[in-house]
Amino acid sequence: MKQFFSFLSKNQADIYRILLFVLSTFLVIYLLPTGGQFKYNFQKGKPWQYENLYAPFSFTIKKSESELEAERKNIRDNAIPYFEYDEQIVTQGKDKFEELLTTSYVDSLFQVEENTIRTVGIQFINQLYRFGVTQEVTRYNDDDLIYLKKGNIIEEITFAQITHADEIPKEIDKLITQKKAESYGDLLKILLNRSITPNISVDRKLTEASIQSELDAISPNQGIVEKGGRIIAKGEVVEGNTYQILNSLQDEYQSIVWSKNNHFWLVFGYAMLVSLVFLMLLLFLKKYRTEIYANNTKVTFIFFNIVLMVFLTTIVVKLDANYVYVVPLCILPLILKAFFDPRLGLFVHVLTLLLLGFIVPNSFEFLFLQIIAGIVTILTVSELYRRANLFTSVGQITLVYIIGYFAFFIIQEGNVFSMQLENFGYFVLAGLATLFAHPLIYLYEKVFGLVSDVSLLELSDTNSKLLKELSNKAPGTFHHSLNVANLAEAAANEIGANAMLVRVGALYHDIGKMENPTNFTENQLSGFNTHDELDPKESATIIIDHVINGIEMARKRNIPDRVIDFIRTHHGTSVVYYFYKKEEERNGSANIEDFQYPGPTPFSKETAILMMADSVEAASKSLKEPTSSKIDRFVEKIIDGQMEQGQFLNANITFKEIQSIKKVLKKKLNNIYHLRVEYPE
């Protein structure tokens, strides 16, 4: 048991990566669609690349979505509406007419008997209410059929047979003319207008139920392909009905393949493919990004982003596959480039798209557009901390999407007339969503403790609280740090290292000297050296402690670990040589470990550059009457000495790059001292 726990302790980093690998694979498999993959890849408008295809089994030909939508529209456009007939209003109208007539009729005023007027009025009301009166404004034409519902009886009539409320005065005038009732026409008009009210209204609930019943009855199929029937021949263009038959075969194949009997095998197949993708990522990190591979936080960050993109795409596809291009996948290479490097960003982007190929429709078109957009993202966003660069990149990404989609549409449809403009809106939305990269980067920095170029830009501000404190407490050290920052930045640009990171590391590398600023010669203004009265060991301890003090100070101020690495490594395991020799002269011998920095040695190009620039800049102050040749020899001596001590063995830096750094440092120092090349006499 003890050996087992010892094994776990020694290999906990590898065990964590294995668990992360398994968990990520499981999550992606869970998000993948529950269906097998069709073994043929085809595109509308392109030739069939395989041998003649015959139906492996009988299956129905499904209607396309456009055909189904046309049928639905036709049903709604031609649906016969239902109108509700209210008998009670008719009865109330007659009663009201008779009541008004009784109270309004005076024998001496009219030559016609009351019963005659009553008979004419009631006949007119019955005639008007034969099919009813409505006051609703509708879209129906006179010839359109409608269903009139009287209680439990439904009658089919034309819309023209219904009287509209606005037409009642006109109908009354016609009645008066027909009955030659001019003598009592005014009374009849008043009584009928007050008695007749609309009694018909559209029964929208019943109408919609009828329409829905017809919609539900639509058949999704339009025919059958018998087993053994030829579907398409090699070289034949995939279009029209053939394209729909192939889609139907693909859907049927996937539904048949995904069954209880072979569920295990399908999951096993998906597991192997997804595992291969994540395995390629780990192998890439182990071989080409060793520093990232050794950092489980960074590996977790990369895996998390891949699973997140798969999750978002899956959700969108399940809601509506038409919105798949709204998912801002270009954020992934953008964020990885901000925290790591462009090559890793593009590599992870491509691997993620390989996984998404199982999920999205038209996978070839999707992969093509997204890979091109990812490449554009990597190539265009050079400095993410510059806001204009991100906006320019978003515009270019959107343009690439639009051009690519336009080209695919022409290839597939052969024209541009049926193109739907709203599809271009999806690409614009995807581009705008890419702007979310900035707040997402900030969130990731807080959650995962990573550092982006945006944060480095903020840290490089010399008016920040910590650097302002350094300039006040240790002005000589601050000036030295600025000079080192300029030298290191120029050297980093020369060999393609992260110049912004090197500059920030240089600005903060000596903040530990604020603890005892007068113990360092650059801050001794009076000419009095405190080390003259101290034991060499004690002096060496004070000098060495500025590294430890700097690390503690940086952690208290929440300086990122990536910057603290420069404080930790800028002296490596070198020796405080001056006090070592002083101790040796005084006692005849000295223990080198008492005068040696604790390390570690630089483990990246950037930290190695800072060590060279720091040593060269500090030592250059001791040059008396500097000349170009003196500076050249001086730079060569210092950096060669560091190489002999093995300070750069873990820094992943080449001899060629070191030579380039030497060249830049020589040039910069010559400029600082305003020297020219010495010409022979």
Side-chain angles (χ1 to χ4, degrees):
M1 182 63 80
K2 188 176 180 180
Q3 291 179 345
F4 175 73
F5 283 113
S6 176
F7 172 81
L8 290 179
S9 177
K10 290 179 181 178
N11 300 280
Q12 58 181 347
D14 292 329
I15 293 171
Y16 176 82
R17 283 190 287 270
I18 292 171
L19 292 175
L20 181 65
F21 173 87
V22 173
L23 178 62
S24 301
T25 302
F26 174 80
L27 288 174
V28 171
I29 293 171
Y30 178 77
L31 294 171
L32 291 179
T34 55
Q37 291 294 316
F38 192 49
K39 59 183 176 180
Y40 300 109
N41 188 18
F42 60 92
Q43 271 192 291
K44 189 176 181 180
K46 287 199 169 186
W48 181 256
Q49 301 293 333
Y50 309 96
E51 296 298 326
N52 295 355
L53 178 62
Y54 297 91
F57 44 77
S58 297
F59 63 94
T60 55
I61 305 171
K62 297 189 185 318
K63 295 175 183 175
S64 65
E65 187 56 37
S66 59
E67 290 174 326
L68 290 172
E69 189 58 39
E71 285 192 42
R72 296 187 194 106
K73 186 176 184 301
N74 183 59
I75 287 173
R76 288 195 173 277
D77 291 343
N78 298 303
I80 299 177
Y82 284 79
F83 281 76
E84 181 73 26
Y85 186 96
D86 193 336
E87 291 278 6
Q88 189 176 357
I89 291 177
V90 177
T91 303
Q92 290 172 353
K94 292 177 183 178
D95 293 343
K96 189 172 184 180
F97 176 79
E98 291 190 7
E99 182 185 342
L100 290 172
L101 178 61
T102 301
T103 56
S104 302
Y105 184 81
V106 179
D107 291 340
S108 60
L109 295 178
F110 300 101
Q111 299 175 354
V112 180
E113 293 182 0
E114 181 180 343
N115 284 336
T116 302
I117 298 174
R118 179 179 289 107
T119 301
V120 172
I122 294 299
Q123 285 178 348
F124 179 74
I125 291 173
N126 287 333
Q127 180 186 339
L128 204 62
Y129 278 125
R130 165 71 180 84
F131 298 109
V133 178
T134 183
Q135 66 178 5
E136 292 189 13
V137 178
T138 62
R139 60 179 178 81
Y140 305 112
N141 299 317
D142 288 346
D143 296 333
D144 290 344
L145 291 175
I146 65 168
Y147 291 124
L148 187 62
K149 182 173 177 285
K150 295 182 178 180
N152 296 325
I153 300 172
I154 295 177
E155 184 180 0
E156 186 179 87
I157 62 173
T158 61
F159 185 69
Q161 290 175 274
I162 295 176
T163 303
H164 198 276
D166 295 339
E167 299 173 353
I168 292 175
K170 185 178 177 182
E171 293 295 324
I172 295 173
D173 289 339
K174 285 170 64 178
L175 172 70
I176 293 170
T177 302
Q178 289 173 0
K179 299 293 182 179
K180 297 180 181 180
E182 287 81 2
S183 61
Y184 56 89
D186 291 340
L187 176 62
L188 198 60
K189 280 184 182 179
I190 294 170
L191 297 180
L192 290 174
N193 279 324
R194 290 183 179 181
S195 303
I196 297 171
T197 55
N199 73 322
I200 283 184
S201 60
V202 178
D203 191 336
R204 289 182 171 79
K205 186 175 181 181
L206 187 57
T207 302
E208 187 59 36
S210 174
I211 293 173
Q212 191 59 49
S213 177
E214 290 189 57
L215 291 175
D216 293 339
I218 294 176
S219 172
N221 306 318
Q222 60 180 350
I224 296 176
V225 176
E226 296 292 341
K227 181 178 180 180
R230 195 179 77 172
I231 297 174
I232 191 170
K234 183 177 182 180
E236 186 179 336
V237 177
V238 178
E239 58 185 355
N241 193 48
T242 305
Y243 177 70
Q244 196 56 39
I245 292 173
L246 286 170
N247 276 327
S248 301
L249 175 61
Q250 181 175 355
D251 293 341
E252 191 71 20
Y253 178 87
Q254 290 175 345
S255 64
I256 289 174
V257 168
W258 193 266
S259 64
K260 291 182 179 179
N261 295 330
N262 48 27
H263 180 88
F264 169 79
W265 291 108
L266 286 170
V267 172
F268 181 68
Y270 273 138
M272 286 195 296
L273 293 174
V274 174
S275 298
L276 276 176
V277 170
F278 285 126
L279 182 62
M280 292 305 103
L281 174 59
L282 288 175
L283 290 176
F284 177 86
L285 294 176
K286 187 173 183 180
K287 186 173 179 63
Y288 299 107
R289 300 294 184 272
T290 309
E291 179 190 347
I292 297 174
Y293 180 79
N295 189 320
N296 281 336
T297 301
K298 294 179 179 179
V299 175
T300 304
F301 173 73
I302 296 170
F303 273 75
F304 171 79
N305 276 280
I306 294 174
V307 175
L308 177 63
M309 288 301 169
V310 174
F311 172 75
L312 290 176
T313 307
T314 303
I315 294 297
V316 171
V317 170
K318 285 183 177 179
L319 292 175
D320 190 341
N322 292 323
Y323 297 113
V324 68
Y325 285 105
V326 177
V327 181
L329 291 175
C330 287
I331 280 185
L332 180 59
L334 199 62
I335 287 176
L336 293 177
K337 180 181 179 181
F339 287 115
F340 305 117
D341 62 86
R343 289 184 182 179
L344 178 60
L346 184 58
F347 185 79
V348 173
H349 180 62
V350 172
L351 290 182
T352 306
L353 293 178
L354 292 178
L355 294 175
L356 295 180
F358 295 120
I359 301 170
V360 298
N362 298 323
S363 55
F364 175 77
E365 175 184 330
F366 180 83
L367 290 176
F368 184 92
L369 291 178
Q370 296 293 0
I371 289 174
I372 294 296
I375 293 172
V376 170
T377 304
I378 292 296
L379 294 178
T380 55
V381 185
S382 54
E383 295 171 324
L384 189 59
Y385 54 84
R386 298 185 186 276
R387 289 173 294 180
N389 287 359
L390 183 58
F391 280 101
T392 303
S393 180
V394 166
Q396 291 170 334
I397 291 168
T398 306
L399 183 62
V400 166
Y401 275 136
I402 291 173
I403 293 173
Y405 174 77
F406 184 78
F408 270 107
F409 190 88
I410 293 174
I411 292 172
Q412 294 169 1
E413 301 295 334
N415 62 74
V416 296
F417 304 110
S418 58
M419 185 175 291
Q420 297 179 337
L421 296 179
E422 58 263 28
N423 291 332
F424 294 114
Y426 302 151
F427 300 128
V428 174
L429 288 175
L432 293 175
T434 307
L435 295 174
F436 191 66
H438 269 303
L440 198 58
I441 287 171
Y442 177 80
L443 179 65
Y444 280 151
E445 286 179 335
K446 299 304 178 186
V447 174
F448 290 93
L450 301 173
V451 184
S452 69
D453 286 348
V454 180
S455 293
L456 291 176
L457 181 65
E458 294 174 357
L459 289 169
S460 67
D461 182 10
T462 53
N463 287 317
S464 65
K465 189 175 180 181
L466 184 55
L467 292 181
K468 203 76 174 174
E469 185 181 349
L470 177 65
S471 66
N472 291 330
K473 289 185 176 180
T477 300
F478 178 72
H479 185 262
H480 159 71
S481 297
L482 286 177
N483 288 338
V484 173
N486 292 331
L487 291 174
E489 184 179 20
N493 282 323
E494 182 69 20
I495 67 168
N498 191 331
M500 178 64 73
L501 178 61
V502 172
R503 180 172 185 83
V504 172
L507 289 173
Y508 289 87
H509 79 284
D510 269 345
I511 58 173
K513 291 182 179 180
M514 283 193 289
E515 193 75 23
N516 296 295
T518 56
N519 286 322
F520 300 90
T521 54
E522 66 265 27
N523 299 312
Q524 295 170 355
L525 303 178
S526 61
F528 173 73
N529 191 340
T530 57
H531 292 286
D532 292 340
E533 299 178 354
L534 297 175
D535 182 75
K537 282 186 182 180
E538 189 177 351
S539 295
T541 301
I542 292 171
I543 299 297
I544 291 170
D545 280 350
H546 88 273
V547 173
I548 307 300
N549 294 334
I551 293 171
E552 291 176 356
M553 201 175 294
R555 283 178 174 163
K556 287 180 182 178
R557 304 297 182 91
N558 294 319
I559 302 298
D561 287 339
R562 205 174 174 192
V563 178
I564 294 176
D565 288 340
F566 288 89
I567 302 174
R568 186 182 290 113
T569 62
H570 74 277
H571 284 295
T573 56
S574 59
V575 175
V576 186
Y577 195 71
Y578 175 81
F579 293 111
Y580 171 73
K581 294 302 290 183
K582 192 174 181 181
E583 175 72 9
E584 199 174 47
E585 290 172 3
R586 178 180 294 183
N587 299 322
S589 64
N591 184 4
I592 196 168
E593 292 179 358
D594 295 334
F595 300 87
Q596 191 173 29
Y597 284 96
T601 57
F603 44 78
S604 66
K605 290 181 182 180
E606 288 78 13
T607 50
I609 290 170
L610 177 62
M611 173 179 273
M612 297 182 216
D614 179 45
S615 301
V616 166
E617 202 285 331
S620 67
K621 299 293 191 293
S622 63
L623 284 175
K624 297 178 181 178
E625 299 181 2
T627 63
S628 182
S629 58
K630 276 185 180 179
I631 288 175
D632 288 355
R633 290 193 299 270
F634 158 80
V635 170
E636 290 284 347
K637 179 182 177 182
I638 289 179
I639 296 179
D640 287 347
Q642 291 173 337
M643 291 173 65
E644 289 173 6
Q645 295 169 20
Q647 299 295 332
F648 307 134
L649 291 177
N650 299 321
N652 191 29
I653 192 167
T654 65
F655 285 115
K656 184 178 180 180
E657 288 170 335
I658 291 174
Q659 289 302 119
S660 298
I661 292 169
K662 286 180 181 179
K663 184 178 178 181
V664 171
L665 294 177
K666 292 172 185 176
K667 182 180 178 182
K668 285 290 181 181
L669 287 175
N670 275 284
N671 291 337
I672 289 171
Y673 291 108
H674 306 290
L675 300 175
R676 293 185 178 180
V677 176
E678 296 176 16
Y679 294 97
E681 296 181 3

